[in-house]
Amino acid sequence: MVGYDPGAQGAPLAAEEAALAGSAAGMVTRAIINPLDVIKIRFQLQIESLSTARPTGKYSGLFQASRCIHTEEGLSAFWKGHVPAQLLSICYGAVQFASFECLTRVVHDMTPFDSQTSGVHFMCGGLAACSATVVCQPLDTLRTRFAAQGEPKVYKKLTHAVRTMWRTEGVLTFYRGLSPTLIAVFPYAGLQFFFYNVFKRLLTPPPFAGKSGENIRSLICGSGAGVISKTITYPFDLFKKRLQVGGFEEARVHFGQVRRYRGLADCVVRIAKEEGVRGFSKGLSPSLVKSALSTGLTFFWYEFFLNALRDLKESRGVKDKR
């Protein structure tokens, strides 16, 4: 079980060990799910007017978008923005899980609440995600820009993107979309940890399952938690992506219509007016697939690496005693 648990077997892990396990989990998960992230972002940035009877966007479905991207841009296009995305995942995983472990320890040490309850996990998970978001938002903006651009590329590599954005748009451009991100990330991450805790309590593996059964349980519980939390908070992810590509219109022209929004409120109003209620759920299908895989794999690998660290500490302890 994630979070500080005084009843767990073995010595509790330090924050730096939780950070190491979290960053490793983020790195492995990102390498697997990056193609779905690229497809999701392409859908989120697609403008389709309500005045037309049929959808006018370039992409019309998960498989059609996959074929289109592969045909026009090649297989490597599914890993566009992978370097900043990988840095984001490593950094985010480290900060989020280290913060979560620290916060649940504080709850245990300084309050009368049980640190392993679902409600505590909701609050600590949400706060941990907010801290990770503030630290990692520039990498998220860079990841979105790279995934959004087609051919020819506006940004050739990460350092070129950083220099160009800094020079032409200023330092605050790296924090575009921060407001909807913070509004959404607290309930999104909080619900992830909440439902993960609930599902793990409900899905008790049989005694003979061993560690393999525990790992599969983590994957299933994480996937379920990811789908539910993403469905509830999805529109804010859409708003964030639309705001993050502001000032980047030249790279989006051949994908269809482009928009420049003055802020979060303007973004919400114009999407509702121009694209209707359906506009708030663009990219939801690939996003749910991605969220199920991403959240499930993140918790799976996090608990996997935590157990590996615990086993390593125990083996070293046995050697020291000899």
Side-chain angles (χ1 to χ4, degrees):
M1 186 77 74
V2 298
Y4 179 71
D5 184 2
Q9 293 182 344
L13 292 171
E16 57 269 21
E17 292 171 317
L20 178 61
S23 61
M27 179 180 65
V28 176
T29 301
R30 170 57 55 184
I32 297 172
I33 57 92
N34 202 78
L36 285 168
D37 205 30
V38 170
I39 296 170
K40 181 202 73 169
I41 290 172
R42 295 290 180 91
F43 274 107
Q44 287 177 324
L45 301 180
Q46 186 165 267
I47 309 294
E48 294 175 286
S49 176
L50 282 172
S51 60
T52 57
R54 297 176 60 187
T56 57
K58 184 180 180 70
Y59 306 119
S60 59
L62 183 59
F63 294 107
Q64 182 271 342
S66 301
R67 289 195 304 270
C68 185
I69 293 171
H70 182 266
T71 302
E72 295 181 355
E73 304 171 53
L75 185 62
S76 62
F78 293 105
W79 279 270
K80 278 187 175 179
H82 185 61
V83 173
Q86 193 62 269
L87 293 173
L88 169 65
S89 295
I90 293 170
C91 176
Y92 194 95
V95 177
Q96 182 184 32
F97 281 105
S99 299
F100 182 76
E101 297 291 339
C102 288
L103 287 168
T104 51
R105 183 187 288 269
V106 168
V107 168
H108 175 265
D109 293 341
M110 303 182 66
T111 73
F113 300 107
D114 180 1
S115 61
Q116 281 297 310
T117 61
S118 299
V120 168
H121 277 211
F122 173 82
M123 292 299 298
C124 292
L127 291 172
C130 286
S131 63
T133 296
V134 173
V135 172
C136 303
Q137 181 70 8
L139 290 168
D140 192 20
T141 300
L142 286 164
R143 181 275 304 259
T144 299
R145 294 280 183 109
F146 273 100
Q149 69 179 353
E151 299 292 341
K153 295 182 178 70
V154 174
Y155 303 134
K156 297 174 176 60
K157 56 184 180 178
L158 184 59
T159 53
H160 175 239
V162 173
R163 287 198 304 269
T164 303
M165 291 169 64
W166 184 292
R167 185 177 64 254
T168 60
E169 302 175 59
V171 67
L172 291 180
T173 196
F174 294 102
Y175 285 90
R176 284 180 182 269
L178 182 61
S179 297
T181 305
L182 288 175
I183 293 171
V185 77
F186 181 89
Y188 174 58
L191 288 169
Q192 279 185 335
F193 281 93
F194 175 88
F195 283 111
Y196 182 72
N197 182 284
V198 170
F199 291 151
K200 286 211 77 172
R201 292 179 183 276
L202 291 174
L203 299 177
T204 304
F208 56 83
K211 286 189 176 181
S212 61
E214 184 65 26
N215 290 337
I216 295 299
R217 185 170 69 128
S218 297
L219 181 62
I220 294 172
C221 294
S223 297
V227 168
I228 295 173
S229 56
K230 175 59 72 176
T231 301
I232 294 172
T233 62
Y234 181 74
F236 289 98
D237 189 35
L238 175 75
F239 304 149
K240 177 184 74 171
K241 293 297 185 292
R242 292 286 181 95
L243 293 171
Q244 283 179 325
V245 295
F248 192 54
E249 287 76 18
E250 73 274 15
R252 302 288 311 149
V253 172
H254 70 282
F255 287 110
Q257 302 179 59
V258 295
R259 293 288 186 275
R260 182 185 286 270
Y261 304 107
R262 294 190 298 272
L264 176 58
D266 181 54
C267 181
V268 174
V269 171
R270 291 183 64 183
I271 290 174
K273 182 178 179 180
E274 298 175 358
E275 302 172 63
V277 176
R278 289 188 305 171
F280 295 118
S281 59
K282 282 186 175 173
L284 180 60
S285 296
S287 184
L288 289 180
V289 176
K290 178 225 168 183
S291 187
L293 287 173
S294 176
T295 309
L297 288 170
T298 296
F299 280 110
F300 171 87
W301 288 113
Y302 179 66
E303 300 233 32
F304 175 86
F305 287 120
L306 277 185
N307 290 330
L309 287 172
R310 287 193 180 101
D311 292 342
L312 182 62
K313 287 178 71 174
E314 288 176 5
S315 64
R316 284 181 176 176
V318 172
K319 287 181 180 179
D320 291 340
K321 290 179 179 178
R322 289 177 177 175

